[in-house]
Amino acid sequence: MPSSSSPLVIDGLQYCRWSREVFLHAREGGVDAIHATIGYHESFQEVVHNIVAWNKLFAENSDLVLHARTLTDIRQAQASHRTAILFGLQNCSALEENLGLIPILFDLGIRFMQLSYNRQSLLASGCTEQNDGGLTLLGQQAIREMNRTGIVVDLSHASERACLDALTRSERPVAVSHAIPSFWHKTPRSISDKVLAALKDNGGLLGLSLYPYHLKDHSNCSRESFCTMVARLVERIGIDAVGIGSDLCYGQPDSVLAWMRQGRWSKPQAHGRKGAEEPPPSFPPQPLWFQDNRNFPALQEGLLQAGFSQKETEKIMGENWARFFQHALSHQDNTKA
Amino acid sequence: MPSSSSPLVIDGLQYCRWSREVFLHAREGGVDAIHATIGYHESFQEVVHNIVAWNKLFAENSDLVLHARTLTDIRQAQASHRTAILFGLQNCSALEENLGLIPILFDLGIRFMQLSYNRQSLLASGCTEQNDGGLTLLGQQAIREMNRTGIVVDLSHASERACLDALTRSERPVAVSHAIPSFWHKTPRSISDKVLAALKDNGGLLGLSLYPYHLKDHSNCSRESFCTMVARLVERIGIDAVGIGSDLCYGQPDSVLAWMRQGRWSKPQAHGRKGAEEPPPSFPPQPLWFQDNRNFPALQEGLLQAGFSQKETEKIMGENWARFFQHALSHQDNTKA
């Protein structure tokens, strides 16, 4: 049984079709904690129902997983050979225009929330929106409230200006839970050098995505190419600002991808993606070397081969997320508004 | 009994605390139709409940008012000495991120919808938002759907860029239901010369507000000052593009004003209004010459005194809205999406 000081393996984002099989894979891959997306465009009540469904999963798989709200919970999961699941949202739809729902969502276990998802939200512009208005006035207030409450501001899918605005304003470390740097592969979702620099200054963390559309050469991206990119990234922003946010979505049908992009309802022909070369919405195959949660050791091996020390590799594989959670998830007084 | 060709008196926006007294005033003032706001930041279901409450008002005051969905309904109201009430929304919150609710709202009688209210919405930036991103990608789709369905795109409270974007994109005439031109009095809500010109080109209509914060000299604004402004405006955009949208809110408590500005929930200290000189949120007293619906004849008198002919005055007092409704409210095929 590992001691409480064993290095943690943590994945900064997944949206799998959750099942006992996925949890068994996570155990096989030695994954101690996963930030799981439990809502995109869902209303508040729909998110509550998603939590109800999760509670059923937790009850049925209590030998494999537990619901984590703190770093202590994650260490408890590790000590009992289980995987800790942290809840997060990939858009702010569940707020339903009401910032008063932020502490309510915290009470329900939400620990991450994106300000926007590709398009304009009430809080911020998204990375594929036509006009980039950055952070809105309500978005400024939302960040203050998320900082106060202890919900991580997640800038994945936000626009360039929204990232820079939020990084200036957030008083707690900010995460980009799942993305890749644009110096390696340029997509609307990639993180610019400017945002990387601001993220470093903020004490924030970039979780590196292994979603094929994000990867250079997509499904054919080699482990060496990915791990060399990690080395170049660490040269720029330091070893402490880099983690994994695999964006594993395995088991999800393609209809889910269309829904992610279109929101609750918009015209099907407009996904809000830039560029005519954009592939139709279907999930691409994962690279052969990173198929699912069982491949975390292979990723770790690749990082070692790319020249990282054991200690550095442990930081990237989860210890950085652990340190981040220590600062980001500590709950502050919830009564002072 | 007036013939069906009698000139119509139409008010392009009111948000009174509706009661039999208000309806009696409307009859006394000879107001044939009022676009009544039935929702700001309300969810879809809250709007439905507001309609239920309106249906009770209609039933209890069927001698004074009726619910209008078309110009024919307005003429019917006039012929039976009643006031026609058209429903509208001052924000897009009731869509709940789902453009599929646009034809549903049409079926429920909604005939106007603003793209935003002061702040950023999912469709467009508002006039007091910090960064003006204009119309969003979803906003472009919403306009197409509103055009198709027959809900008027109302640009009151929208940002400068959102107005210009929407005026470029809308294939039907667009309304600014309640505002004043910035050449007369400059506020975040005033309409710039550039937007006025685009509105004229679009065949749209500006309903002139009599809400004291919009008026030059606020509550002390004289009828002469107001009517001279109308004359200057007509010189710029022509007699056909100008109507009344009084923004009468009488009977509403100040708490409603705070709610209008803050939305469902934001921090009370931030109303999103520009400028430190902004008064605290309380309803100002109306100018003495325009207190309530009984004063429409006094307004008509003022326009005649300002040099408008009888025919021109009739256009401004309602005939322009009538012509606008003929084009804007005609329902198109609701099945082609």
Side-chain angles (χ1 to χ4, degrees), chain B residues 148-280:
Chain B
R148 185 180 72 83
T149 310
I151 294 183
V152 175
V153 174
D154 186 349
L155 296 178
S156 309
H157 294 266
S159 72
E160 173 83 1
R161 192 172 168 189
C163 287
L164 295 171
D165 288 352
L167 282 159
T168 305
R169 288 189 171 270
S170 180
E171 289 173 3
R172 291 225 211 189
V174 154
V176 181
S177 68
H178 59 305
I180 46 97
S182 61
F183 73 74
W184 183 56
H185 183 50
K186 206 169 162 56
T187 77
R189 280 273 282 108
S190 308
I191 304 302
S192 73
D193 289 352
K194 204 169 171 185
V195 172
L196 286 179
L199 188 70
K200 182 188 180 180
D201 291 346
N202 162 275
L205 196 51
L206 170 60
L208 289 165
S209 167
L210 288 133
Y211 182 64
Y213 288 150
H214 298 163
L215 301 176
K216 196 174 174 178
D217 305 321
H218 295 178
S219 302
N220 298 319
C221 178
S222 69
R223 189 174 75 173
E224 193 188 349
S225 172
F226 182 86
C227 293
T228 306
M229 172 273 289
V230 182
R232 296 295 85 78
L233 178 64
V234 165
E235 283 167 14
R236 287 171 185 239
I237 64 172
I239 189 68
D240 292 327
V242 179
I244 302 298
S246 72
D247 206 4
L248 275 174
C249 295
Y250 61 103
Q252 296 288 11
D254 288 345
S255 58
V256 162
L257 189 60
W259 170 78
M260 282 180 194
R261 291 194 186 173
Q262 290 171 30
R264 289 193 207 170
W265 195 89
S266 63
K267 296 288 183 180
Q269 65 272 25
H271 301 117
R273 308 288 290 181
K274 283 173 188 158
E277 76 288 357
E278 182 66 24

Side-chain angles (χ1 to χ4, degrees), chain A residues 175-247:
Chain A
V176 182
S177 68
H178 59 305
I180 46 98
S182 61
F183 73 73
W184 183 56
H185 183 49
K186 206 169 162 55
T187 77
R189 280 271 284 107
S190 309
I191 305 301
S192 74
D193 291 351
K194 204 170 171 184
V195 172
L196 286 179
L199 189 68
K200 182 188 179 180
D201 291 345
N202 162 273
L205 196 51
L206 171 60
L208 289 165
S209 167
L210 287 132
Y211 181 64
Y213 288 149
H214 297 164
L215 301 176
K216 196 174 174 179
D217 305 322
H218 295 177
S219 302
N220 298 319
C221 178
S222 71
R223 189 173 76 172
E224 192 188 349
S225 172
F226 182 86
C227 294
T228 306
M229 172 273 289
V230 182
R232 295 296 84 79
L233 178 63
V234 166
E235 284 166 14
R236 287 172 186 238
I237 63 172
I239 188 69
D240 292 327
V242 179
I244 301 299
S246 72
D247 206 4

